[in-house]
mmCIF file of all heavy atoms in Angstrom:
data_model
loop_
_atom_site.group_PDB
_atom_site.id
_atom_site.type_symbol
_atom_site.label_atom_id
_atom_site.label_comp_id
_atom_site.label_asym_id
_atom_site.label_seq_id
_atom_site.Cartn_x
_atom_site.Cartn_y
_atom_site.Cartn_z
ATOM 1 N N MET W 1 67.084 138.132 41.101
ATOM 2 C CA MET W 1 65.780 137.814 40.661
ATOM 3 C C MET W 1 64.756 138.366 41.514
ATOM 4 O O MET W 1 64.777 138.377 42.858
ATOM 5 C CB MET W 1 65.631 136.151 40.691
ATOM 6 C CG MET W 1 64.339 135.684 40.158
ATOM 7 S SD MET W 1 64.385 135.849 38.305
ATOM 8 C CE MET W 1 62.941 134.920 37.987
ATOM 9 N N ILE W 2 63.739 138.936 40.912
ATOM 10 C CA ILE W 2 62.668 139.649 41.717
ATOM 11 C C ILE W 2 61.556 138.642 42.129
ATOM 12 O O ILE W 2 61.070 137.939 41.211
ATOM 13 C CB ILE W 2 62.007 140.830 40.969
ATOM 14 C CG1 ILE W 2 63.196 141.784 40.655
ATOM 15 C CG2 ILE W 2 60.986 141.495 41.764
ATOM 16 C CD1 ILE W 2 62.752 142.937 39.816
ATOM 17 N N LYS W 3 61.114 138.562 43.329
ATOM 18 C CA LYS W 3 60.161 137.748 43.794
ATOM 19 C C LYS W 3 58.783 138.598 43.845
ATOM 20 O O LYS W 3 58.670 139.450 44.586
ATOM 21 C CB LYS W 3 60.410 137.166 45.173
ATOM 22 C CG LYS W 3 61.510 136.263 45.221
ATOM 23 C CD LYS W 3 61.773 135.801 46.695
ATOM 24 C CE LYS W 3 63.111 135.151 46.848
ATOM 25 N NZ LYS W 3 63.433 134.778 48.119
ATOM 26 N N ILE W 4 57.908 138.275 42.936
ATOM 27 C CA ILE W 4 56.677 139.017 42.867
ATOM 28 C C ILE W 4 55.636 138.298 43.755
ATOM 29 O O ILE W 4 55.351 137.104 43.496
ATOM 30 C CB ILE W 4 56.122 139.175 41.421
ATOM 31 C CG1 ILE W 4 57.102 139.936 40.511
ATOM 32 C CG2 ILE W 4 54.657 139.858 41.397
ATOM 33 C CD1 ILE W 4 57.396 141.291 40.992
ATOM 34 N N ARG W 5 55.157 138.933 44.790
ATOM 35 C CA ARG W 5 54.227 138.278 45.678
ATOM 36 C C ARG W 5 52.758 138.936 45.377
ATOM 37 O O ARG W 5 52.713 140.103 45.332
ATOM 38 C CB ARG W 5 54.566 138.634 47.109
ATOM 39 C CG ARG W 5 56.014 138.098 47.424
ATOM 40 C CD ARG W 5 56.335 138.360 48.891
ATOM 41 N NE ARG W 5 56.397 139.776 49.066
ATOM 42 C CZ ARG W 5 57.266 140.514 49.691
ATOM 43 N NH1 ARG W 5 58.422 139.818 50.039
ATOM 44 N NH2 ARG W 5 57.316 141.812 49.775
ATOM 45 N N ARG W 6 51.784 138.113 45.508
ATOM 46 C CA ARG W 6 50.468 138.569 45.331
ATOM 47 C C ARG W 6 49.966 139.272 46.617
ATOM 48 O O ARG W 6 50.354 138.779 47.718
ATOM 49 C CB ARG W 6 49.573 137.408 45.095
ATOM 50 C CG ARG W 6 49.845 136.842 43.770
ATOM 51 C CD ARG W 6 48.854 135.581 43.537
ATOM 52 N NE ARG W 6 49.208 134.913 42.318
ATOM 53 C CZ ARG W 6 48.626 134.796 41.257
ATOM 54 N NH1 ARG W 6 47.550 135.539 41.139
ATOM 55 N NH2 ARG W 6 49.079 134.131 40.181
ATOM 56 N N GLY W 7 49.290 140.342 46.469
ATOM 57 C CA GLY W 7 48.779 141.151 47.569
ATOM 58 C C GLY W 7 49.780 142.044 48.103
ATOM 59 O O GLY W 7 49.433 142.692 49.181
ATOM 60 N N TYR W 8 50.892 142.303 47.529
ATOM 61 C CA TYR W 8 51.879 143.258 48.084
ATOM 62 C C TYR W 8 52.203 144.227 46.925
ATOM 63 O O TYR W 8 53.287 144.420 46.485
ATOM 64 C CB TYR W 8 53.204 142.561 48.508
ATOM 65 C CG TYR W 8 52.955 141.623 49.653
ATOM 66 C CD1 TYR W 8 52.795 140.327 49.473
ATOM 67 C CD2 TYR W 8 53.073 142.014 50.995
ATOM 68 C CE1 TYR W 8 52.654 139.414 50.553
ATOM 69 C CE2 TYR W 8 52.929 141.282 52.113
ATOM 70 C CZ TYR W 8 52.708 139.968 51.799
ATOM 71 O OH TYR W 8 52.575 139.070 52.879
ATOM 72 N N LYS W 9 51.139 144.963 46.534
ATOM 73 C CA LYS W 9 51.281 145.864 45.350
ATOM 74 C C LYS W 9 52.388 146.887 45.477
ATOM 75 O O LYS W 9 53.209 147.204 44.741
ATOM 76 C CB LYS W 9 49.889 146.409 44.995
ATOM 77 C CG LYS W 9 49.872 147.187 43.716
ATOM 78 C CD LYS W 9 48.456 147.617 43.406
ATOM 79 C CE LYS W 9 48.351 148.317 42.137
ATOM 80 N NZ LYS W 9 47.081 148.797 41.819
ATOM 81 N N ASN W 10 52.326 147.617 46.699
ATOM 82 C CA ASN W 10 53.219 148.678 46.918
ATOM 83 C C ASN W 10 54.678 148.210 47.008
ATOM 84 O O ASN W 10 55.520 148.815 46.461
ATOM 85 C CB ASN W 10 52.867 149.511 48.205
ATOM 86 C CG ASN W 10 51.513 150.195 48.058
ATOM 87 O OD1 ASN W 10 51.110 150.479 46.870
ATOM 88 N ND2 ASN W 10 50.871 150.444 49.161
ATOM 89 N N GLU W 11 54.882 147.005 47.749
ATOM 90 C CA GLU W 11 56.271 146.517 47.810
ATOM 91 C C GLU W 11 56.849 146.151 46.435
ATOM 92 O O GLU W 11 57.946 146.309 46.116
ATOM 93 C CB GLU W 11 56.250 145.347 48.733
ATOM 94 C CG GLU W 11 56.066 145.687 50.226
ATOM 95 C CD GLU W 11 54.563 145.933 50.562
ATOM 96 O OE1 GLU W 11 53.739 145.702 49.797
ATOM 97 O OE2 GLU W 11 54.411 146.332 51.737
ATOM 98 N N ASN W 12 55.871 145.491 45.522
ATOM 99 C CA ASN W 12 56.359 145.052 44.212
ATOM 100 C C ASN W 12 56.687 146.337 43.329
ATOM 101 O O ASN W 12 57.680 146.182 42.635
ATOM 102 C CB ASN W 12 55.270 144.233 43.598
ATOM 103 C CG ASN W 12 55.061 142.948 44.173
ATOM 104 O OD1 ASN W 12 55.951 142.490 44.704
ATOM 105 N ND2 ASN W 12 53.912 142.378 43.965
ATOM 106 N N ILE W 13 55.986 147.535 43.506
ATOM 107 C CA ILE W 13 56.279 148.670 42.788
ATOM 108 C C ILE W 13 57.653 149.169 43.291
ATOM 109 O O ILE W 13 58.519 149.548 42.351
ATOM 110 C CB ILE W 13 55.155 149.699 42.928
ATOM 111 C CG1 ILE W 13 53.828 149.187 42.346
ATOM 112 C CG2 ILE W 13 55.587 151.030 42.455
ATOM 113 C CD1 ILE W 13 52.701 150.059 42.624
ATOM 114 N N ILE W 14 57.929 149.156 44.499
ATOM 115 C CA ILE W 14 59.188 149.659 45.027
ATOM 116 C C ILE W 14 60.281 148.793 44.501
ATOM 117 O O ILE W 14 61.375 149.281 43.976
ATOM 118 C CB ILE W 14 59.168 149.684 46.573
ATOM 119 C CG1 ILE W 14 58.237 150.725 47.090
ATOM 120 C CG2 ILE W 14 60.670 149.946 47.172
ATOM 121 C CD1 ILE W 14 57.951 150.647 48.485
ATOM 122 N N LEU W 15 60.284 147.346 44.502
ATOM 123 C CA LEU W 15 61.113 146.492 44.028
ATOM 124 C C LEU W 15 61.471 146.662 42.551
ATOM 125 O O LEU W 15 62.561 146.713 42.092
ATOM 126 C CB LEU W 15 60.783 145.034 44.350
ATOM 127 C CG LEU W 15 61.133 144.444 45.774
ATOM 128 C CD1 LEU W 15 60.609 143.014 45.683
ATOM 129 C CD2 LEU W 15 62.618 144.434 45.835
ATOM 130 N N LEU W 16 60.351 146.695 41.804
ATOM 131 C CA LEU W 16 60.520 146.977 40.335
ATOM 132 C C LEU W 16 61.197 148.277 40.047
ATOM 133 O O LEU W 16 62.065 148.365 39.124
ATOM 134 C CB LEU W 16 59.154 146.809 39.740
ATOM 135 C CG LEU W 16 58.607 145.403 39.561
ATOM 136 C CD1 LEU W 16 57.174 145.452 39.029
ATOM 137 C CD2 LEU W 16 59.587 144.399 38.908
ATOM 138 N N SER W 17 60.937 149.314 40.749
ATOM 139 C CA SER W 17 61.514 150.654 40.416
ATOM 140 C C SER W 17 62.981 150.571 40.896
ATOM 141 O O SER W 17 63.811 151.088 40.049
ATOM 142 C CB SER W 17 60.802 151.698 41.170
ATOM 143 O OG SER W 17 60.839 151.593 42.613
ATOM 144 N N ILE W 18 63.346 149.937 41.915
ATOM 145 C CA ILE W 18 64.754 149.921 42.488
ATOM 146 C C ILE W 18 65.495 149.001 41.328
ATOM 147 O O ILE W 18 66.652 149.370 40.919
ATOM 148 C CB ILE W 18 64.864 149.258 43.840
ATOM 149 C CG1 ILE W 18 64.458 150.261 44.737
ATOM 150 C CG2 ILE W 18 66.343 148.854 44.108
ATOM 151 C CD1 ILE W 18 64.416 149.738 46.189
ATOM 152 N N LYS W 19 65.019 147.837 40.914
ATOM 153 C CA LYS W 19 65.585 146.979 40.073
ATOM 154 C C LYS W 19 65.710 147.636 38.683
ATOM 155 O O LYS W 19 66.760 147.495 37.930
ATOM 156 C CB LYS W 19 64.895 145.686 39.924
ATOM 157 C CG LYS W 19 65.032 144.798 41.126
ATOM 158 C CD LYS W 19 66.498 144.296 41.272
ATOM 159 C CE LYS W 19 66.617 143.299 42.333
ATOM 160 N NZ LYS W 19 67.896 142.745 42.534
ATOM 161 N N GLY W 20 64.743 148.299 38.208
ATOM 162 C CA GLY W 20 64.783 149.078 36.968
ATOM 163 C C GLY W 20 65.897 150.117 37.035
ATOM 164 O O GLY W 20 66.642 150.309 36.002
ATOM 165 N N TYR W 21 65.989 150.851 38.120
ATOM 166 C CA TYR W 21 66.995 151.880 38.191
ATOM 167 C C TYR W 21 68.458 151.214 38.082
ATOM 168 O O TYR W 21 69.362 151.667 37.544
ATOM 169 C CB TYR W 21 66.845 152.677 39.505
ATOM 170 C CG TYR W 21 67.912 153.674 39.736
ATOM 171 C CD1 TYR W 21 67.854 154.890 39.138
ATOM 172 C CD2 TYR W 21 68.843 153.396 40.783
ATOM 173 C CE1 TYR W 21 68.815 155.880 39.410
ATOM 174 C CE2 TYR W 21 69.833 154.342 41.079
ATOM 175 C CZ TYR W 21 69.798 155.558 40.394
ATOM 176 O OH TYR W 21 70.775 156.492 40.637
ATOM 177 N N GLN W 22 68.501 150.113 38.947
ATOM 178 C CA GLN W 22 69.903 149.403 39.012
ATOM 179 C C GLN W 22 70.340 148.900 37.529
ATOM 180 O O GLN W 22 71.570 148.986 37.203
ATOM 181 C CB GLN W 22 69.845 148.179 39.946
ATOM 182 C CG GLN W 22 69.938 148.595 41.277
ATOM 183 C CD GLN W 22 69.813 147.319 42.216
ATOM 184 O OE1 GLN W 22 69.172 146.347 41.914
ATOM 185 N NE2 GLN W 22 70.412 147.440 43.439
ATOM 186 N N LYS W 23 69.365 148.394 36.752
ATOM 187 C CA LYS W 23 69.632 147.707 35.520
ATOM 188 C C LYS W 23 69.643 148.755 34.359
ATOM 189 O O LYS W 23 70.434 148.550 33.451
ATOM 190 C CB LYS W 23 68.663 146.598 35.250
ATOM 191 C CG LYS W 23 68.627 145.520 36.280
ATOM 192 C CD LYS W 23 69.112 144.203 35.789
ATOM 193 C CE LYS W 23 68.938 143.223 36.817
ATOM 194 N NZ LYS W 23 70.175 142.479 37.177
ATOM 195 N N GLY W 24 68.818 149.733 34.466
ATOM 196 C CA GLY W 24 68.703 150.697 33.356
ATOM 197 C C GLY W 24 69.357 152.022 33.339
ATOM 198 O O GLY W 24 69.965 152.465 32.416
ATOM 199 N N ILE W 25 69.575 152.550 34.659
ATOM 200 C CA ILE W 25 70.159 153.806 34.678
ATOM 201 C C ILE W 25 71.561 153.878 35.258
ATOM 202 O O ILE W 25 72.464 154.588 34.758
ATOM 203 C CB ILE W 25 69.187 154.806 35.570
ATOM 204 C CG1 ILE W 25 67.832 154.941 34.960
ATOM 205 C CG2 ILE W 25 69.899 156.139 35.788
ATOM 206 C CD1 ILE W 25 66.880 155.733 35.683
ATOM 207 N N LEU W 26 71.767 153.038 36.189
ATOM 208 C CA LEU W 26 73.043 153.000 36.831
ATOM 209 C C LEU W 26 74.200 152.627 35.842
ATOM 210 O O LEU W 26 75.348 153.178 36.052
ATOM 211 C CB LEU W 26 73.166 152.084 38.067
ATOM 212 C CG LEU W 26 72.672 152.566 39.336
ATOM 213 C CD1 LEU W 26 72.677 151.592 40.472
ATOM 214 C CD2 LEU W 26 73.335 153.845 39.783
ATOM 215 N N PRO W 27 74.060 151.789 34.987
ATOM 216 C CA PRO W 27 75.115 151.447 34.030
ATOM 217 C C PRO W 27 75.577 152.534 33.074
ATOM 218 O O PRO W 27 76.634 152.498 32.614
ATOM 219 C CB PRO W 27 74.593 150.310 33.182
ATOM 220 C CG PRO W 27 73.527 149.592 34.058
ATOM 221 C CD PRO W 27 73.006 150.736 34.829
ATOM 222 N N LEU W 28 74.821 153.617 33.013
ATOM 223 C CA LEU W 28 75.074 154.712 32.128
ATOM 224 C C LEU W 28 76.033 155.673 32.783
ATOM 225 O O LEU W 28 76.612 156.637 32.175
ATOM 226 C CB LEU W 28 73.804 155.492 31.839
ATOM 227 C CG LEU W 28 72.761 154.661 31.057
ATOM 228 C CD1 LEU W 28 71.475 155.499 30.900
ATOM 229 C CD2 LEU W 28 73.224 154.196 29.653
ATOM 230 N N PHE W 29 76.230 155.585 34.139
ATOM 231 C CA PHE W 29 77.099 156.414 34.828
ATOM 232 C C PHE W 29 78.220 155.678 35.455
ATOM 233 O O PHE W 29 78.189 154.500 35.741
ATOM 234 C CB PHE W 29 76.330 157.198 35.920
ATOM 235 C CG PHE W 29 75.170 157.991 35.371
ATOM 236 C CD1 PHE W 29 73.884 157.573 35.569
ATOM 237 C CD2 PHE W 29 75.399 159.313 34.896
ATOM 238 C CE1 PHE W 29 72.796 158.284 34.941
ATOM 239 C CE2 PHE W 29 74.387 159.965 34.341
ATOM 240 C CZ PHE W 29 73.066 159.510 34.419
ATOM 241 N N PRO W 30 79.431 156.368 35.711
ATOM 242 C CA PRO W 30 80.493 155.694 36.336
ATOM 243 C C PRO W 30 80.060 155.402 37.743
ATOM 244 O O PRO W 30 79.330 156.113 38.417
ATOM 245 C CB PRO W 30 81.650 156.629 36.261
ATOM 246 C CG PRO W 30 81.039 157.942 35.989
ATOM 247 C CD PRO W 30 79.818 157.654 35.309
ATOM 248 N N GLN W 31 80.696 154.260 38.235
ATOM 249 C CA GLN W 31 80.424 153.786 39.664
ATOM 250 C C GLN W 31 81.142 154.834 40.601
ATOM 251 O O GLN W 31 82.257 154.877 40.706
ATOM 252 C CB GLN W 31 80.850 152.417 39.947
ATOM 253 C CG GLN W 31 80.421 151.848 41.163
ATOM 254 C CD GLN W 31 80.931 150.384 41.355
ATOM 255 O OE1 GLN W 31 81.502 149.811 40.547
ATOM 256 N NE2 GLN W 31 80.461 149.824 42.513
ATOM 257 N N ASN W 32 80.260 155.330 41.479
ATOM 258 C CA ASN W 32 80.734 156.409 42.504
ATOM 259 C C ASN W 32 80.722 155.829 43.928
ATOM 260 O O ASN W 32 81.459 156.434 44.653
ATOM 261 C CB ASN W 32 79.963 157.804 42.348
ATOM 262 C CG ASN W 32 80.154 158.447 41.159
ATOM 263 O OD1 ASN W 32 81.286 158.360 40.598
ATOM 264 N ND2 ASN W 32 79.239 159.126 40.630
ATOM 265 N N CYS W 33 79.923 154.798 44.063
ATOM 266 C CA CYS W 33 79.794 154.342 45.459
ATOM 267 C C CYS W 33 81.038 153.428 45.897
ATOM 268 O O CYS W 33 81.298 152.544 45.009
ATOM 269 C CB CYS W 33 78.458 153.583 45.560
ATOM 270 S SG CYS W 33 78.119 152.925 47.293
ATOM 271 N N CYS W 34 81.515 153.695 46.873
ATOM 272 C CA CYS W 34 82.785 152.927 47.339
ATOM 273 C C CYS W 34 82.353 151.665 48.285
ATOM 274 O O CYS W 34 83.200 150.973 48.652
ATOM 275 C CB CYS W 34 83.815 153.804 48.166
ATOM 276 S SG CYS W 34 83.115 154.471 49.618
ATOM 277 N N TYR W 35 81.045 151.547 48.415
ATOM 278 C CA TYR W 35 80.643 150.472 49.278
ATOM 279 C C TYR W 35 79.955 149.354 48.616
ATOM 280 O O TYR W 35 79.288 149.658 47.458
ATOM 281 C CB TYR W 35 79.580 151.002 50.364
ATOM 282 C CG TYR W 35 80.167 152.088 51.231
ATOM 283 C CD1 TYR W 35 79.681 153.368 51.050
ATOM 284 C CD2 TYR W 35 81.045 151.793 52.213
ATOM 285 C CE1 TYR W 35 80.257 154.387 51.838
ATOM 286 C CE2 TYR W 35 81.586 152.770 53.054
ATOM 287 C CZ TYR W 35 81.177 154.071 52.822
ATOM 288 O OH TYR W 35 81.740 154.984 53.621
ATOM 289 N N TYR W 36 80.239 148.128 48.860
ATOM 290 C CA TYR W 36 79.495 146.999 48.418
ATOM 291 C C TYR W 36 79.119 146.035 49.434
ATOM 292 O O TYR W 36 79.968 145.704 50.300
ATOM 293 C CB TYR W 36 80.292 146.327 47.290
ATOM 294 C CG TYR W 36 79.592 145.217 46.628
ATOM 295 C CD1 TYR W 36 78.741 145.531 45.590
ATOM 296 C CD2 TYR W 36 79.505 143.835 47.040
ATOM 297 C CE1 TYR W 36 77.949 144.577 44.931
ATOM 298 C CE2 TYR W 36 78.749 142.877 46.440
ATOM 299 C CZ TYR W 36 77.837 143.331 45.359
ATOM 300 O OH TYR W 36 77.213 142.314 44.822
ATOM 301 N N PRO W 37 77.846 145.683 49.556
ATOM 302 C CA PRO W 37 76.722 146.055 48.767
ATOM 303 C C PRO W 37 76.299 147.411 48.899
ATOM 304 O O PRO W 37 76.533 148.016 50.098
ATOM 305 C CB PRO W 37 75.654 145.025 49.188
ATOM 306 C CG PRO W 37 76.129 144.556 50.525
ATOM 307 C CD PRO W 37 77.501 144.697 50.677
ATOM 308 N N THR W 38 75.668 147.979 48.013
ATOM 309 C CA THR W 38 75.275 149.399 47.932
ATOM 310 C C THR W 38 73.997 149.484 48.791
ATOM 311 O O THR W 38 73.370 148.564 49.148
ATOM 312 C CB THR W 38 75.083 149.856 46.559
ATOM 313 O OG1 THR W 38 73.953 149.216 45.982
ATOM 314 C CG2 THR W 38 76.333 149.803 45.705
ATOM 315 N N CYS W 39 73.581 150.788 49.015
ATOM 316 C CA CYS W 39 72.342 151.151 49.669
ATOM 317 C C CYS W 39 71.221 150.444 48.993
ATOM 318 O O CYS W 39 70.139 149.994 49.635
ATOM 319 C CB CYS W 39 72.072 152.608 49.754
ATOM 320 S SG CYS W 39 73.466 153.347 50.783
ATOM 321 N N LEU W 40 71.166 150.514 47.640
ATOM 322 C CA LEU W 40 70.096 149.814 46.878
ATOM 323 C C LEU W 40 70.011 148.322 47.195
ATOM 324 O O LEU W 40 68.848 147.811 47.339
ATOM 325 C CB LEU W 40 70.144 150.100 45.368
ATOM 326 C CG LEU W 40 70.041 151.478 44.890
ATOM 327 C CD1 LEU W 40 70.368 151.681 43.551
ATOM 328 C CD2 LEU W 40 68.677 151.999 45.169
ATOM 329 N N HIS W 41 71.087 147.631 47.276
ATOM 330 C CA HIS W 41 70.972 146.283 47.672
ATOM 331 C C HIS W 41 70.369 146.097 48.986
ATOM 332 O O HIS W 41 69.571 145.075 49.233
ATOM 333 C CB HIS W 41 72.415 145.658 47.674
ATOM 334 C CG HIS W 41 72.943 145.513 46.197
ATOM 335 N ND1 HIS W 41 73.910 146.368 45.661
ATOM 336 C CD2 HIS W 41 72.804 144.470 45.344
ATOM 337 C CE1 HIS W 41 74.271 146.099 44.544
ATOM 338 N NE2 HIS W 41 73.632 144.847 44.308
ATOM 339 N N TYR W 42 70.779 146.967 49.935
ATOM 340 C CA TYR W 42 70.109 146.789 51.252
ATOM 341 C C TYR W 42 68.725 147.016 51.191
ATOM 342 O O TYR W 42 67.828 146.481 51.907
ATOM 343 C CB TYR W 42 70.875 147.774 52.279
ATOM 344 C CG TYR W 42 72.122 147.293 52.788
ATOM 345 C CD1 TYR W 42 73.208 148.060 52.450
ATOM 346 C CD2 TYR W 42 72.291 146.061 53.394
ATOM 347 C CE1 TYR W 42 74.567 147.609 52.959
ATOM 348 C CE2 TYR W 42 73.492 145.588 53.815
ATOM 349 C CZ TYR W 42 74.600 146.376 53.596
ATOM 350 O OH TYR W 42 75.857 145.933 54.079
ATOM 351 N N ALA W 43 68.206 148.018 50.427
ATOM 352 C CA ALA W 43 66.790 148.364 50.355
ATOM 353 C C ALA W 43 66.046 147.133 49.831
ATOM 354 O O ALA W 43 64.948 146.830 50.227
ATOM 355 C CB ALA W 43 66.584 149.590 49.383
ATOM 356 N N VAL W 44 66.567 146.488 48.762
ATOM 357 C CA VAL W 44 65.924 145.263 48.224
ATOM 358 C C VAL W 44 65.863 144.168 49.184
ATOM 359 O O VAL W 44 64.708 143.580 49.383
ATOM 360 C CB VAL W 44 66.754 144.786 46.915
ATOM 361 C CG1 VAL W 44 66.146 143.512 46.553
ATOM 362 C CG2 VAL W 44 66.563 145.831 45.830
ATOM 363 N N ASP W 45 66.922 143.985 49.977
ATOM 364 C CA ASP W 45 66.920 142.984 50.989
ATOM 365 C C ASP W 45 65.937 143.266 52.155
ATOM 366 O O ASP W 45 65.172 142.264 52.518
ATOM 367 C CB ASP W 45 68.270 142.818 51.759
ATOM 368 C CG ASP W 45 69.266 142.227 50.770
ATOM 369 O OD1 ASP W 45 68.866 141.446 49.878
ATOM 370 O OD2 ASP W 45 70.488 142.273 51.078
ATOM 371 N N VAL W 46 65.796 144.496 52.567
ATOM 372 C CA VAL W 46 64.818 144.830 53.587
ATOM 373 C C VAL W 46 63.460 144.560 53.053
ATOM 374 O O VAL W 46 62.536 144.077 53.773
ATOM 375 C CB VAL W 46 64.947 146.352 54.065
ATOM 376 C CG1 VAL W 46 63.789 146.782 54.860
ATOM 377 C CG2 VAL W 46 66.343 146.480 54.907
ATOM 378 N N ASN W 47 63.225 145.090 51.827
ATOM 379 C CA ASN W 47 61.848 144.997 51.191
ATOM 380 C C ASN W 47 61.450 143.535 51.106
ATOM 381 O O ASN W 47 60.365 143.129 51.333
ATOM 382 C CB ASN W 47 61.801 145.610 49.811
ATOM 383 C CG ASN W 47 60.428 145.890 49.368
ATOM 384 O OD1 ASN W 47 59.431 145.621 50.049
ATOM 385 N ND2 ASN W 47 60.366 146.490 48.173
ATOM 386 N N GLU W 48 62.329 142.576 50.747
ATOM 387 C CA GLU W 48 62.022 141.150 50.529
ATOM 388 C C GLU W 48 61.859 140.499 51.996
ATOM 389 O O GLU W 48 60.944 139.674 52.124
ATOM 390 C CB GLU W 48 63.168 140.533 49.792
ATOM 391 C CG GLU W 48 63.135 140.951 48.275
ATOM 392 C CD GLU W 48 64.260 140.273 47.579
ATOM 393 O OE1 GLU W 48 65.175 139.688 48.169
ATOM 394 O OE2 GLU W 48 64.212 140.364 46.317
ATOM 395 N N LYS W 49 62.639 140.872 52.922
ATOM 396 C CA LYS W 49 62.557 140.184 54.204
ATOM 397 C C LYS W 49 61.403 140.662 55.133
ATOM 398 O O LYS W 49 60.883 139.932 55.787
ATOM 399 C CB LYS W 49 63.981 140.299 54.902
ATOM 400 C CG LYS W 49 65.090 139.468 54.194
ATOM 401 C CD LYS W 49 66.251 139.708 55.004
ATOM 402 C CE LYS W 49 67.456 138.925 54.170
ATOM 403 N NZ LYS W 49 68.794 139.248 54.826
ATOM 404 N N GLN W 50 61.191 141.927 55.060
ATOM 405 C CA GLN W 50 60.128 142.549 55.984
ATOM 406 C C GLN W 50 58.869 143.029 55.374
ATOM 407 O O GLN W 50 58.240 143.797 55.884
ATOM 408 C CB GLN W 50 60.850 143.707 56.769
ATOM 409 C CG GLN W 50 62.025 143.300 57.508
ATOM 410 C CD GLN W 50 62.646 144.562 58.170
ATOM 411 O OE1 GLN W 50 62.094 145.603 58.248
ATOM 412 N NE2 GLN W 50 63.692 144.233 59.023
ATOM 413 N N ASN W 51 58.705 142.611 54.053
ATOM 414 C CA ASN W 51 57.419 142.900 53.365
ATOM 415 C C ASN W 51 57.247 144.368 53.216
ATOM 416 O O ASN W 51 56.212 144.877 53.526
ATOM 417 C CB ASN W 51 56.202 142.161 54.022
ATOM 418 C CG ASN W 51 56.380 140.743 53.934
ATOM 419 O OD1 ASN W 51 56.941 140.163 53.026
ATOM 420 N ND2 ASN W 51 55.803 140.073 54.882
ATOM 421 N N GLY W 52 58.230 145.169 52.907
ATOM 422 C CA GLY W 52 58.155 146.534 52.728
ATOM 423 C C GLY W 52 59.076 147.345 53.731
ATOM 424 O O GLY W 52 59.754 146.700 54.502
ATOM 425 N N PHE W 53 59.043 148.544 53.624
ATOM 426 C CA PHE W 53 60.017 149.419 54.323
ATOM 427 C C PHE W 53 59.539 149.780 55.730
ATOM 428 O O PHE W 53 58.457 150.063 55.914
ATOM 429 C CB PHE W 53 60.308 150.768 53.636
ATOM 430 C CG PHE W 53 61.194 150.449 52.328
ATOM 431 C CD1 PHE W 53 60.727 150.458 51.078
ATOM 432 C CD2 PHE W 53 62.562 150.146 52.606
ATOM 433 C CE1 PHE W 53 61.506 150.234 50.063
ATOM 434 C CE2 PHE W 53 63.385 149.982 51.508
ATOM 435 C CZ PHE W 53 62.921 150.033 50.221
#
């Protein structure tokens, strides 16, 4: 679930683009990453915990 925060426009754009990529584009390709959680999961966590990169 994406938490949309007011006043954090750039962070929300980053989160929405990552989530859109995860849900829309990644399922079209076979899974190549051998790590779980993936780098994208870490990016979302950092963005949510530290208010941006």
Side-chain angles (χ1 to χ4, degrees):
M1 186 73 174
I2 301 173
K3 298 176 188 175
I4 302 297
R5 300 178 300 230
R6 294 178 189 253
Y8 295 96
K9 187 175 183 180
N10 292 334
E11 288 83 3
N12 290 336
I13 291 171
I14 293 169
L15 271 178
L16 289 174
S17 62
I18 290 173
K19 289 292 187 175
Y21 178 75
Q22 285 178 328
K23 303 246 184 234
I25 297 174
L26 279 182
L28 301 175
F29 299 101
Q31 187 175 2
N32 292 329
C33 185
C34 61
Y35 301 107
Y36 186 81
T38 63
C39 296
L40 291 174
H41 288 97
Y42 284 120
V44 170
D45 286 343
V46 166
N47 198 3
E48 289 176 348
K49 292 178 183 175
Q50 297 181 2
N51 297 330
F53 289 103

